[in-house]
Amino acid sequence: MVDKILSNPKNLQVLYEDNHLIVINKRPGDIVQGDKTGDMPLSEVVKLYIKEKYDKPGNVYLGVAHRLDRPTSGIVVFAKTSKALPRLNKLFAEKKTTKTYWAVIKNPPEKESDTLVHWLKRNPKQNKSYTNHKEDSDSKKAILEYRMVRKLDNYFLLEIDLKTGRHHQIRAQLSAIGCPIKGDLKYGFDRSNKDASIHLHARSLSLIHPVKKELLALTAPPPRDPVWDACL
């Protein structure tokens, strides 16, 4: 495994910022919120960035409205005010946001575009979700639409519209149709990426600004590596 370049206040990839929101292009390996590893989460990095940039005394307010898995990359939105956070939470909860992901896979799907519907059951001990075609106790319905947008030399690029937001949803659903994501050992890819990332990227996000009420449409460039570079 090679050393990962994680986000810090000096190299933070800020896609958008105003008084109420700050939108970050998360690097693979960044953890959005603190967990048992004790590693510094992206939320704390962003607080340090704001504190240094604006020379703020005391504590910096930052609200986390959604998350991305640690090995993935892409768009994460944080609230900078207590006014914006509940409104942002509501937008995500009521699915009034449009999220598009990119995923690199080795095995082409049977159909170049399709809607996948599964029932997902989460196993917290394994930190993994399992798919089923029938509803079961504790399972949640998972829906996504995908289309193939590029054929590379050894891989295929899918663009995914997420209709529900379940734990490891894209990873589990693509694995279920025999198309695990590059580097994703947990969901059946044959080898890991050297930096422990997986080739899943939160590419774009559209929402109505929770305070300004204007459309905010954001796109994040994927990490720099030969495979992602070939997708652009």
Side-chain angles (χ1 to χ4, degrees):
M1 192 171 87
V2 298
D3 288 338
K4 295 188 287 284
I5 297 173
L6 300 179
S7 294
N8 62 58
K10 304 295 183 196
N11 71 5
L12 198 63
Q13 300 178 90
V14 180
L15 297 171
Y16 174 88
E17 184 182 5
D18 64 17
N19 290 338
H20 297 282
L21 303 179
I22 183 166
V23 184
I24 305 299
N25 187 10
K26 175 181 120 49
R27 290 177 167 86
D30 289 339
I31 186 163
V32 175
Q33 263 190 314
D35 69 354
K36 60 189 178 187
T37 63
D39 295 343
M40 180 182 278
L42 188 59
S43 55
E44 290 302 316
V45 173
V46 176
K47 283 184 184 180
L48 286 173
Y49 164 85
I50 293 168
K51 192 175 181 69
E52 289 175 14
K53 181 177 179 179
Y54 301 103
D55 198 22
K56 279 184 173 276
N59 294 328
V60 172
Y61 179 90
L62 194 77
V64 179
H66 67 124
R67 295 164 188 79
L68 285 180
D69 297 343
R70 186 165 194 171
T72 68
S73 56
I75 296 175
V76 183
V77 185
F78 295 98
K80 289 171 67 179
T81 63
S82 54
K83 182 179 183 180
L85 181 61
R87 297 179 184 187
L88 201 54
N89 285 337
K90 195 170 182 223
L91 287 172
F92 281 107
E94 294 179 356
K95 300 181 177 54
K96 290 180 178 174
T97 60
T98 304
K99 300 179 194 174
T100 302
Y101 289 77
W102 277 3
V104 175
I105 56 172
K106 190 161 190 176
N107 307 320
E110 284 185 17
K111 299 177 182 177
E112 293 216 347
S113 63
D114 202 4
T115 300
L116 303 183
V117 181
H118 292 94
W119 292 90
L120 255 57
K121 196 166 186 175
R122 183 174 182 177
N123 183 321
K125 283 187 178 178
Q126 294 178 307
N127 189 31
K128 189 172 177 181
S129 288
Y130 290 87
T131 57
N132 205 317
H133 287 292
K134 293 180 181 176
E135 187 174 4
D136 190 11
S137 61
D138 302 326
S139 66
K140 292 181 177 179
K141 196 172 191 178
I143 306 167
L144 65 77
E145 294 175 357
Y146 75 80
R147 59 198 161 277
M148 194 185 298
V149 290
R150 190 147 300 175
K151 296 178 182 180
L152 310 173
D153 290 343
N154 298 304
Y155 301 101
F156 300 86
L157 174 64
L158 301 184
E159 190 165 85
I160 295 150
D161 290 331
L162 211 48
K163 302 302 179 185
T164 53
R166 308 301 182 201
H167 176 259
H168 290 184
Q169 178 181 336
I170 297 173
R171 299 167 67 179
Q173 286 195 275
L174 290 183
S175 177
I177 62 165
C179 303
I181 294 165
K182 182 180 182 300
D184 198 357
L185 281 179
K186 180 171 278 194
Y187 286 94
F189 201 79
D190 57 1
R191 63 185 184 278
S192 59
N193 290 336
K194 288 180 180 177
D195 64 356
S197 69
I198 63 174
H199 276 70
L200 178 62
H201 178 68
R203 172 67 171 166
S204 64
L205 176 68
S206 297
L207 52 85
I208 300 298
H209 192 292
V211 180
K212 295 179 178 177
K213 306 301 181 188
E214 300 165 349
L215 177 65
L216 194 56
L218 301 152
T219 303
R224 295 301 307 272
D225 74 29
V227 174
W228 277 130
D229 289 351
C231 294
L232 296 170

